[in-house]
Amino acid sequence: MKKLLFALFALAMVASLGCAITNYPMITDSRGDYSGLIRTAHKAYIETTSQIATIYPDGSDELFAMVLQNQYGDQTLYTFNNYDPTASVLFLDQTYCDWRYEGCEIVNAWNPRQNDDPFDYQFFEDCSGARSLSVLLDQASRLGECGDALFAAEKQNLASVFADLDTTTWRGGSAYVVPVHAGNASVTLTSATGVSESAPIFGNFTGFITEELQVAIPMTPNARHELNYLRGWVAANGNTASVSVTYEGLSANVAVTFRPDGLGNNAGRF
């Protein structure tokens, strides 16, 4: 989970990527005399190791995912946006596991138990947050759902990773200051055909991670250079890639599909 946090943080930091989960493991549980697949009956919020919001001059976007699973293990995955026009980053609060979100879905992905394409999806470009969507994520490990977070205890362990970082005040609380630059981070892209290339990190990025492991990332103009680099790489090598990330000695690997339109939309916001 520590690796997943850093992978997602570095992806968002380096490339300003809004992410949609299009593949997710089957939901199972063991309670009482029952052990096996769970029928969710309604959409369930997918817990995250860390909530990530990107901050732009016209507001902040926080994309989040929900899953609906039937008794056979077939799923529909949804991506929504928690948009704040003031850019004050009011993170989605799922303390009470509210699944009754009726907003417009950016992505709807059918995820059957068998014979599934992990990156098939429907995209609704008129929905809030659609402009930020740049990456489709094949989530290989189950994160847990609201009310049943598999790795809740890990969050306290993850917080200790940042013990040596500087802190600042963020929205009335404390937050860790996380610098990212070519001296402490690297990103390697490997295409489906095996072409591998180190992605440049232009300048310095600074993110903030709260004590609840919520990540806020101001998108500065140098993000445009990262996005334009990615657009060129995707045009030359295809949009499916394995992304290897290292940060201060930690490493992670994430399988993704890039959306060229999303990369272009984000680059045009600067």
Side-chain angles (χ1 to χ4, degrees):
M1 295 305 295
K2 178 169 65 178
K3 291 182 178 181
L4 176 63
L5 170 66
F6 275 98
L8 293 179
F9 174 77
L11 281 172
M13 174 66 73
V14 172
S16 172
L17 303 178
C19 178
I21 296 176
T22 55
N23 194 49
Y24 191 71
M26 287 184 296
I27 303 170
T28 60
D29 203 355
S30 297
R31 295 183 182 181
D33 296 330
Y34 178 80
S35 179
L37 290 170
I38 293 297
R39 176 179 176 270
T40 62
H42 52 69
K43 294 191 291 289
Y45 172 75
I46 296 178
E47 292 277 3
T48 60
T49 306
S50 178
Q51 294 173 265
I52 297 176
T54 49
I55 307 171
Y56 294 93
D58 60 350
S60 59
D61 290 343
E62 179 199 356
L63 303 192
F64 64 96
M66 290 193 177
V67 57
L68 174 66
Q69 179 171 291
N70 65 21
Q71 66 269 33
Y72 306 110
D74 301 324
Q75 300 173 344
T76 303
L77 297 161
Y78 305 86
T79 300
F80 300 102
N81 184 34
N82 176 31
Y83 175 66
D84 177 8
T86 70
S88 59
V89 193
L90 300 175
F91 283 102
L92 184 70
D93 184 358
Q94 280 290 9
T95 301
Y96 300 105
C97 297
D98 189 1
W99 57 270
R100 296 167 299 179
Y101 186 83
E102 300 299 333
C104 183
E105 62 200 57
I106 304 166
V107 165
N108 180 313
W110 172 237
N111 186 38
R113 182 174 180 177
Q114 296 179 324
N115 304 320
D116 179 43
D117 176 355
F119 294 117
D120 59 337
Y121 70 108
Q122 291 180 288
F123 176 60
F124 303 97
E125 61 182 353
D126 293 332
C127 295
S128 170
R131 63 181 183 177
S132 291
L133 180 63
S134 299
V135 165
L136 308 177
L137 179 62
D138 178 359
Q139 180 58 52
S141 60
R142 184 180 163 207
L143 300 174
E145 300 72 48
C146 192
D148 191 27
L150 297 179
F151 305 103
E154 291 281 351
K155 291 191 175 183
Q156 293 303 316
N157 296 331
L158 283 170
S160 67
V161 174
F162 307 109
D164 294 330
L165 295 175
D166 292 334
T167 60
T168 188
T169 300
W170 177 265
R171 304 298 184 249
S174 296
Y176 301 99
V177 180
V178 184
V180 175
H181 49 77
N184 64 7
S186 66
V187 178
T188 301
L189 304 173
T190 303
S191 72
T193 59
V195 176
S196 185
E197 184 172 306
S198 294
I201 299 178
F202 296 99
N204 296 284
F205 296 84
T206 301
F208 305 93
I209 301 181
T210 71
E211 293 175 339
E212 289 76 30
L213 297 181
Q214 297 166 326
V215 181
I217 306 169
M219 287 294 108
T220 51
N222 52 329
R224 178 180 66 249
H225 302 299
E226 302 292 344
L227 292 162
N228 285 331
Y229 163 80
L230 270 179
R231 294 172 69 189
W233 191 90
V234 168
N237 300 288
N239 61 347
T240 299
S242 173
V243 182
S244 297
V245 179
T246 63
Y247 180 84
E248 296 288 4
L250 295 171
S251 62
N253 186 275
V254 182
V256 303
T257 288
F258 294 107
R259 290 190 62 256
D261 289 348
L263 296 174
N265 289 339
N266 277 305
R269 297 170 70 176
F270 296 94

